Amino acid sequence: MKNRVTGLGGFFFKTKNPDKIKEWYKNHLGLNTDRYGCTFWWKDKEGNDCSTQWSPMNEDTNYFKPCEKQFMMNFRVENLKELLIELKKEGVTIVGEVEEYEYGKFGWILDPDGNKLELWEPVDKAFL
Protein backbone atom coordinates (compact mmCIF):
# COMPACT_ATOMS: atom_id res chain seq x y z
CA MET A 1 0.00 0.00 0.00
CA LYS A 2 1.68 3.19 -1.25
CA ASN A 3 0.18 6.05 0.76
CA ARG A 4 -1.45 5.83 4.14
CA VAL A 5 -1.64 9.23 5.84
CA THR A 6 -1.45 12.15 3.41
CA GLY A 7 -1.94 15.02 5.87
CA LEU A 8 -3.56 16.27 9.03
CA GLY A 9 -7.32 16.36 8.53
CA GLY A 10 -8.23 17.92 11.83
CA PHE A 11 -7.70 18.39 15.51
CA PHE A 12 -10.69 18.06 17.82
CA PHE A 13 -10.64 18.77 21.54
CA LYS A 14 -13.01 18.92 24.49
CA THR A 15 -13.74 22.17 26.31
CA LYS A 16 -16.31 23.40 28.83
CA ASN A 17 -17.52 26.16 26.50
CA PRO A 18 -16.82 25.66 22.77
CA ASP A 19 -18.39 29.00 21.77
CA LYS A 20 -16.28 30.92 24.28
CA ILE A 21 -13.06 29.20 23.18
CA LYS A 22 -13.86 29.79 19.48
CA GLU A 23 -14.43 33.47 20.24
CA TRP A 24 -11.11 33.69 22.12
CA TYR A 25 -9.20 32.15 19.20
CA LYS A 26 -11.02 34.45 16.78
CA ASN A 27 -10.28 37.59 18.80
CA HIS A 28 -6.70 36.83 19.84
CA LEU A 29 -5.32 34.65 17.06
CA GLY A 30 -7.48 35.70 14.13
CA LEU A 31 -9.05 32.31 13.40
CA ASN A 32 -12.01 32.58 11.04
CA THR A 33 -14.34 30.58 13.26
CA ASP A 34 -17.82 29.25 12.54
CA ARG A 35 -20.11 26.83 14.34
CA TYR A 36 -17.67 23.94 13.71
CA GLY A 37 -14.45 25.76 14.61
CA CYS A 38 -12.07 26.84 11.86
CA THR A 39 -11.25 25.32 8.48
CA PHE A 40 -7.73 25.86 7.17
CA TRP A 41 -7.46 25.64 3.38
CA TRP A 42 -4.24 24.61 1.65
CA LYS A 43 -3.03 22.89 -1.50
CA ASP A 44 -1.30 19.53 -1.70
CA LYS A 45 1.86 19.08 -3.76
CA GLU A 46 -0.26 18.38 -6.88
CA GLY A 47 -2.12 21.67 -6.38
CA ASN A 48 -5.41 20.15 -5.18
CA ASP A 49 -7.50 22.11 -2.68
CA CYS A 50 -7.37 20.49 0.78
CA SER A 51 -8.63 21.35 4.23
CA THR A 52 -7.75 20.80 7.88
CA GLN A 53 -10.40 21.30 10.56
CA TRP A 54 -9.84 22.71 14.07
CA SER A 55 -12.85 22.03 16.29
CA PRO A 56 -13.54 22.62 19.98
CA MET A 57 -16.26 20.23 21.18
CA ASN A 58 -18.39 19.99 24.31
CA GLU A 59 -16.55 18.27 27.15
CA ASP A 60 -19.32 15.66 27.38
CA THR A 61 -19.09 14.59 23.72
CA ASN A 62 -19.20 10.86 23.06
CA TYR A 63 -17.48 11.29 19.70
CA PHE A 64 -14.09 10.30 21.13
CA LYS A 65 -15.38 7.04 22.71
CA PRO A 66 -14.00 4.58 23.67
CA CYS A 67 -11.10 6.95 24.34
CA GLU A 68 -11.43 9.19 27.41
CA LYS A 69 -8.75 11.65 26.27
CA GLN A 70 -9.43 15.36 25.80
CA PHE A 71 -8.54 15.32 22.09
CA MET A 72 -8.81 13.34 18.88
CA MET A 73 -6.71 13.74 15.76
CA ASN A 74 -8.06 13.25 12.26
CA PHE A 75 -5.67 12.14 9.51
CA ARG A 76 -6.32 12.46 5.79
CA VAL A 77 -5.79 9.10 4.07
CA GLU A 78 -6.08 7.48 0.67
CA ASN A 79 -8.11 4.31 0.10
CA LEU A 80 -9.63 4.15 3.58
CA LYS A 81 -11.29 0.75 3.27
CA GLU A 82 -8.11 -0.91 1.97
CA LEU A 83 -6.05 0.84 4.66
CA LEU A 84 -8.33 -0.45 7.42
CA ILE A 85 -7.94 -4.01 6.09
CA GLU A 86 -4.15 -3.64 6.21
CA LEU A 87 -4.20 -2.07 9.67
CA LYS A 88 -6.37 -4.90 11.01
CA LYS A 89 -3.89 -7.46 9.58
CA GLU A 90 -1.15 -5.53 11.43
CA GLY A 91 -3.01 -5.91 14.73
CA VAL A 92 -4.35 -2.35 14.98
CA THR A 93 -7.65 -1.98 16.87
CA ILE A 94 -10.45 -0.80 14.57
CA VAL A 95 -13.32 1.12 16.23
CA GLY A 96 -16.80 0.96 14.69
CA GLU A 97 -17.68 0.77 11.01
CA VAL A 98 -16.76 2.99 8.07
CA GLU A 99 -19.18 5.89 7.59
CA GLU A 100 -19.65 7.59 4.22
CA TYR A 101 -20.83 11.15 3.55
CA GLU A 102 -20.72 13.53 0.58
CA TYR A 103 -17.50 15.00 2.02
CA GLY A 104 -15.73 11.68 2.49
CA LYS A 105 -15.36 8.35 4.23
CA PHE A 106 -14.46 7.98 7.91
CA GLY A 107 -12.97 5.16 9.96
CA TRP A 108 -11.47 5.01 13.45
CA ILE A 109 -8.58 3.20 15.10
CA LEU A 110 -6.80 3.21 18.46
CA ASP A 111 -3.07 3.85 18.85
CA PRO A 112 -1.01 1.96 21.51
CA ASP A 113 -1.80 4.69 24.10
CA GLY A 114 -5.54 4.26 23.55
CA ASN A 115 -5.94 7.50 21.59
CA LYS A 116 -8.80 7.34 19.12
CA LEU A 117 -7.67 8.44 15.66
CA GLU A 118 -10.11 9.37 12.95
CA LEU A 119 -9.09 8.42 9.41
CA TRP A 120 -10.71 10.48 6.66
CA GLU A 121 -10.69 9.82 2.93
CA PRO A 122 -11.79 13.35 1.97
CA VAL A 123 -13.86 14.78 -0.83
CA ASP A 124 -12.66 18.37 -0.43
CA LYS A 125 -14.67 19.64 -3.39
CA ALA A 126 -17.83 19.10 -1.30
CA PHE A 127 -16.77 22.14 0.77
CA LEU A 128 -15.94 24.43 -2.16
Side-chain angles (χ1 to χ4, degrees):
M1 181 157 225
K2 183 180 171 196
N3 286 330
R4 291 184 181 219
V5 170
T6 61
L8 184 62
F11 183 77
F12 309 101
F13 63 98
K14 297 178 183 181
T15 181
K16 290 180 193 263
N17 189 330
D19 290 333
K20 182 178 177 183
I21 206 78
K22 285 185 278 188
E23 190 68 20
W24 188 93
Y25 277 84
K26 180 179 183 176
N27 291 337
H28 298 287
L29 297 179
L31 270 63
N32 184 19
T33 58
D34 59 23
R35 69 184 196 151
Y36 301 108
C38 181
T39 304
F40 295 91
W41 288 97
W42 49 279
K43 295 201 182 278
D44 67 13
K45 59 186 171 186
E46 284 83 34
N48 299 307
D49 290 319
C50 301
S51 66
T52 298
Q53 184 67 34
W54 173 89
S55 293
M57 301 177 89
N58 283 318
E59 65 184 349
D60 62 353
T61 184
N62 289 322
Y63 197 64
F64 300 179
K65 295 281 183 194
C67 178
E68 294 296 329
K69 304 281 176 90
Q70 293 299 108
F71 67 91
M72 183 178 69
M73 292 178 286
N74 168 298
F75 290 103
R76 298 169 62 90
V77 301
E78 292 182 350
N79 304 311
L80 174 65
K81 290 181 180 179
E82 294 87 353
L83 176 57
L84 289 172
I85 291 167
E86 290 300 313
L87 292 172
K88 187 171 185 173
K89 287 179 190 174
E90 294 167 4
V92 174
T93 301
I94 310 297
V95 178
E97 300 294 324
V98 171
E99 295 182 17
E100 296 187 37
Y101 302 91
E102 65 188 36
Y103 47 89
K105 298 175 190 166
F106 294 85
W108 299 268
I109 62 172
L110 296 178
D111 74 9
D113 285 340
N115 296 309
K116 185 177 180 183
L117 305 175
E118 184 170 66
L119 305 178
W120 174 39
E121 183 180 326
V123 178
D124 290 298
K125 65 183 178 186
F127 298 110
L128 299 174

